[in-house]
Amino acid sequence: MSCHYPFRRVASLVLPAVAAFVLLTSAPILPARAQAVQAAQQATLSDTVKSDAAKPSAPPASGGTAAADPANPQAKSLPSRAIEKVKEVAKSAGDIFSRVPCLPPKGGVRKMGSLPRVASELAAGEPVVIVAFGSSSTQGHGSTSPDFNYPNRLAAQLRRQYPTADITVVNAGKGGEDAPEMMKRLQTAVLDRQPDLVIWQVGTNAVLRNLDPAETAKLVEEGIARIQAVGADLVLVDPQYSPAVNARAESASKMINLLGKVAELRHVGIFPRFEVMRDWHERQAIPIDNFVIADGLHMSDWGYACFAQLLGDDIIKSVGQIKLGVHVPSDVRTYRPM
């Protein structure tokens, strides 16, 4: 028995660490997490991460091994260091544009039409309610944290710009829906909140389901009329540029064109997400997997962040126009239509 005890003692100390390392390096990783884990394994700490150092690890719950010395990184086990790097990458994700800058489209940019209600209230310091209405890319599928979905990114940007304003951004996104389902909850999810601005992302799931684009456009037009009846500003957001949508190019093109025509007819703004994202790839040479996750459909943290940034810039410009007494018709769009 005595000859086996040292082996048992060593095994009791080594095997848990080996098991943790195997689990960390070989377990399946969800697509939404893959980019953060890969960066954690490969990247060195950025200045941002260094300035926000991780707290020392707690000592073991039971005796048997000494706690790692925080002053000596070599004393930490490989699993511990890998886990810490994952956490560090998550912390630094707030500074997401330090890796890839968010730039406006390089092709023909026009001034956006005004959003008179929300801009006037922000300019006057009045409370503002913005409702982000849509499906999974409004809800934030693909983001590594709710903080990184586009409504929350937009809210943070507007609050930085207007620190004394009372700004509420409601995330009314629900995965899997399109115009037929959205119209059923338009009253409770949007109108009952008495919004000043509605950002309506629509059309992607209709493309993926091969629904008739004309029927979608008809429902959207009805929804616009109801939103305008309560006096809210409105911006439509068309489908995303992504492999899953591009695989149905004909249906996607029809949907995007019809939404553009509805926006023009009803004198509402439109954020041409498809064209903006295509510009990222074709003109700015950003790899698709930088802004679309592994499922080929939903946006990554960076994609949501840049989308929100450009949308927020348009709102801020509209406030500036109101302050200067400039009125631009709402159907004059920021980016050239298809």
Side-chain angles (χ1 to χ4, degrees):
M1 294 295 290
S2 60
C3 66
H4 295 292
Y5 177 78
F7 173 78
R8 290 178 180 174
R9 178 61 174 165
V10 171
S12 69
L13 298 177
V14 173
L15 289 180
V18 172
F21 172 73
V22 170
L23 286 174
L24 180 66
T25 56
S26 64
I29 299 173
L30 292 175
R33 306 286 182 180
Q35 187 176 3
V37 173
Q38 183 179 10
Q41 293 171 336
Q42 297 176 354
T44 58
L45 295 182
S46 65
D47 291 340
T48 302
V49 173
K50 289 178 181 178
S51 67
D52 188 15
K55 296 180 180 179
S57 301
S62 60
T65 58
D69 180 6
N72 181 11
Q74 298 300 323
K76 297 180 180 180
S77 67
L78 180 59
S80 296
R81 280 181 279 151
I83 291 170
E84 285 184 5
K85 282 197 174 183
V86 171
K87 293 178 179 179
E88 288 159 0
V89 169
K91 286 182 179 180
S92 66
D95 190 25
I96 200 165
F97 298 141
S98 66
R99 293 185 285 279
V100 179
C102 177
L103 303 175
K106 292 184 177 181
V109 177
R110 297 179 179 177
K111 291 183 178 179
M112 177 179 155
S114 62
L115 302 170
R117 176 163 168 170
V118 70
S120 297
E121 293 188 350
L122 280 172
E126 297 292 330
V128 167
V129 175
I130 299 172
V131 175
F133 190 41
S135 58
S136 57
S137 61
T138 296
Q139 187 177 16
H141 186 83
S143 63
T144 60
S145 163
D147 290 340
F148 302 141
N149 64 42
Y150 105 74
N152 283 336
R153 296 287 306 204
L154 176 63
Q157 180 187 2
L158 294 178
R159 288 167 185 155
R160 286 193 302 269
Q161 181 70 22
Y162 309 106
T164 62
D166 180 5
I167 300 171
T168 300
V169 179
V170 178
N171 189 334
K174 190 172 182 181
E177 290 193 345
D178 214 277
E181 297 85 4
M182 293 179 197
M183 287 296 291
K184 293 177 182 178
R185 64 186 183 97
L186 178 65
Q187 183 65 46
T188 56
V190 179
L191 303 182
D192 287 351
R193 299 182 185 274
Q194 300 180 327
D196 301 294
L197 169 64
V198 178
I199 303 168
W200 189 0
Q201 167 260 314
V202 66
T204 299
N205 287 320
V207 170
L208 299 179
R209 297 172 187 167
N210 286 320
L211 301 182
D212 183 0
E215 287 299 316
T216 298
K218 181 179 178 182
L219 290 172
V220 170
E221 190 171 358
E222 292 174 6
I224 290 173
R226 291 175 61 186
I227 292 169
Q228 288 181 321
V230 300
D233 295 330
L234 176 63
V235 174
L236 294 178
V237 177
D238 63 20
Q240 62 265 48
Y241 177 87
S242 67
V245 173
N246 298 345
R248 303 178 183 274
E250 183 178 355
S251 178
S253 180
K254 288 180 180 178
M255 180 66 69
I256 291 162
N257 285 327
L258 282 171
L259 290 175
K261 289 178 181 178
V262 169
E264 184 176 5
L265 178 65
R266 283 289 178 175
H267 303 288
V268 299
I270 187 166
F271 187 95
R273 180 170 55 157
F274 187 91
E275 282 298 298
V276 169
M277 294 177 69
R278 181 159 69 178
D279 187 278
W280 293 345
H281 182 57
E282 295 183 359
R283 292 177 179 265
Q284 299 183 38
I286 300 174
I288 288 179
D289 59 8
N290 273 27
F291 55 84
V292 176
I293 65 170
D295 69 0
L297 176 62
H298 295 96
M299 300 168 76
S300 66
D301 285 346
W302 187 93
Y304 284 124
C306 194
F307 167 39
Q309 179 73 39
L310 297 176
L311 185 59
D313 287 346
D314 290 343
I315 294 172
I316 291 166
K317 288 176 186 176
S318 186
V319 176
Q321 291 167 349
I322 291 290
K323 287 182 175 180
L324 293 173
V326 177
H327 175 72
V328 180
S330 60
D331 60 342
V332 177
R333 300 180 201 115
T334 306
Y335 311 106
R336 297 184 189 277
M338 289 185 67

